[in-house]
Amino acid sequence: MRQLWFLGADALEWRDAPEPRILHPEDAIVRPIAATTCDLDVRMIRGPSPFDRPCALGHEAIAEIVEAGPGARFHIGQIVVVSWHISCGYCHRCGRGKPNTCAHYPRGAAFGSPVSDTFGCLFADLVRVPHANASLVPVPPGADFVHWASLSDNIPFGYEMTVPHLQITPGADVLIMGGCGSVALYAVGFARAAGAGRIDYIDTDRPRLEIAQKLGANSIEQAPPRRAGSYAITVDASMDADALRCAIRSTEPEGQCSSVGCHFGDVEMPMMDMYIRGIHFYTGRGQGRPNIEKAMAYLDAKRLDASLVTSMVAPFDDAPDVLASAPMKAVLIREPIHSSYR
Ligand SMILES: [Zn+2]
Ligand SMILES: [Zn+2]
């Protein structure tokens, strides 16, 4: 069977890999049917990045169950979202709703990850999913799951950066510093769907600005200013140090500033500014699994149109060529074998 390998900037290829087998009763074997790139993957392909070395690529996919261990609560043909973090589901951290910090798997354990390549990738013919009961989320029948492929990571990340904060401060104004790609745009869509007041989206990329406008933002084409205004909720999804500092300086007293990260080096932060006003700052790789159902409910109710973020849809087999040009969000698809979902 094939796995997609990232070899270095703009270079990808299918490589043969051993067929995965069920190793534990709760394992499942899945066949990805709609897989896409995370913003980090695109950044790696465009290069340079600290991960500029060969690795199996891809950690976002909707997949079909092709085999389930006796302890896995899934049936053949079921369509599921594969959460990108590897987590057990029962340790004290998973039990606290933080599977991204699972005590049984070391830092960074994930599919298609340049920092842990034990678990294969989701641009593959078959994938073994450990702890399937904790990691797989069934997709409702009839769903147009092509545009939902990012539910593994970037879509729930956009949810996490906005919706829980809007539940604390309903109707708040939101600033989103774009640049990383899709997470910023999903964040715009979730902020609009969750009842934000004004949503300002700052970026220099015209196509992304247009998508953000369609998703409900006031798009502002400019390089990051020193400060953009005053917002209860700010999101840095820029991969740019100046944009991160702008988000921090634009956060109102006791407001929430979240960064999706991908700042690959140390970044100087305006700590005195943050201290004087009292800023709540969070960064991390995203909780993933706990927000998949919540984000999917927004998509299923058509409160957010994820198709606006999809750059293109292409045959699964064409992944190496399609992804070499690093489109923001290409979805690679193929028909399910066992399922009648479509
Ligand atoms: Zn990711
Ligand atoms: Zn765990």
Side-chain angles (χ1 to χ4, degrees):
M1 71 132 204
R2 301 168 305 169
Q3 278 182 340
L4 185 69
W5 275 68
F6 164 75
L7 307 176
D10 305 332
L12 302 112
E13 70 178 16
W14 290 119
R15 285 188 177 177
D16 285 332
E19 284 219 358
R21 295 182 298 112
I22 298 279
L23 301 178
H24 184 275
E26 286 188 20
D27 286 356
I29 306 294
V30 303
R31 177 178 179 269
I33 56 171
T36 189
T37 44
C38 167
D39 292 344
L40 176 60
D41 299 331
V42 174
R43 174 78 183 257
M44 284 167 58
I45 293 167
R46 289 178 182 167
S49 83
F51 311 116
D52 209 2
R53 63 174 179 79
C55 66
L57 187 83
H59 57 265
E60 298 206 315
I62 304 283
E64 179 181 35
I65 304 280
V66 296
E67 189 179 353
R73 296 188 296 268
F74 295 92
H75 59 262
I76 291 171
Q78 202 167 3
I79 305 294
V80 294
V81 180
V82 185
S83 180
W84 77 288
H85 294 292
I86 306 295
S87 56
C88 73
Y90 54 80
C91 72
H92 66 288
R93 290 186 186 147
C94 287
R96 285 205 308 255
K98 310 288 184 199
N100 52 318
T101 64
C102 177
H104 285 114
Y105 291 93
R107 178 178 174 270
F111 294 107
S113 165
V115 293
S116 75
D117 51 12
T118 312
F119 300 99
C121 63
L122 300 187
F123 285 115
D125 287 330
L126 295 169
V127 184
R128 181 179 76 91
V129 179
H131 313 289
N133 297 333
S135 296
L136 299 178
V137 182
V139 170
D144 176 13
F145 47 76
V146 171
H147 304 291
W148 297 15
S150 246
L151 273 168
S152 299
D153 177 5
N154 288 177
I155 291 176
F157 209 178
Y159 173 98
E160 181 181 334
M161 296 286 110
T162 52
V163 178
H165 307 306
L166 282 160
Q167 288 167 346
I168 295 168
T169 51
D173 291 343
V174 177
L175 171 68
I176 296 173
M177 303 300 293
C180 73
S182 72
V183 177
L185 299 171
Y186 293 132
V188 169
F190 279 113
R192 175 50 63 227
R198 182 185 181 89
I199 304 168
D200 285 339
Y201 175 86
I202 296 180
D203 199 343
T204 55
D205 180 82
R206 190 68 62 82
R208 288 196 300 258
L209 286 157
E210 287 174 6
I211 296 169
Q213 189 87 26
K214 286 180 188 162
L215 285 163
N218 170 48
S219 283
I220 303 167
E221 183 176 1
Q222 67 173 144
R226 181 175 165 78
R227 182 170 179 269
S230 183
Y231 307 81
I233 299 166
T234 59
V235 178
D236 161 51
S238 67
M239 302 183 180
D240 177 89
D242 286 336
L244 167 61
R245 285 188 283 266
C246 173
I248 291 170
R249 291 193 187 100
S250 304
T251 308
E252 70 177 36
E254 291 297 332
Q256 173 70 40
C257 178
S258 308
S259 173
V260 306
C262 287
H263 296 279
F264 294 138
D266 293 347
V267 173
E268 192 174 311
M269 293 170 71
M271 288 298 291
M272 192 62 180
D273 211 51
M274 296 170 75
Y275 169 76
I276 295 293
R277 285 181 295 118
I279 301 301
H280 300 262
F281 181 77
Y282 176 79
T283 190
R285 295 181 304 143
Q287 295 172 357
R289 176 66 186 82
N291 293 312
I292 290 177
E293 284 104 333
K294 297 172 194 169
M296 188 157 59
Y298 274 70
L299 303 186
D300 202 31
K302 302 196 187 315
R303 297 175 68 185
L304 163 63
D305 183 1
S307 74
L308 291 171
V309 184
T310 303
S311 307
M312 61 186 295
V313 180
F316 202 88
D317 291 349
D318 296 349
D321 290 340
V322 168
L323 299 185
S325 60
M328 179 180 72
K329 187 66 73 178
V331 182
L332 286 300
I333 63 167
R334 58 186 165 188
E335 289 295 318
I337 296 172
H338 303 285
S339 165
S340 57
Y341 272 73
R342 303 183 70 190

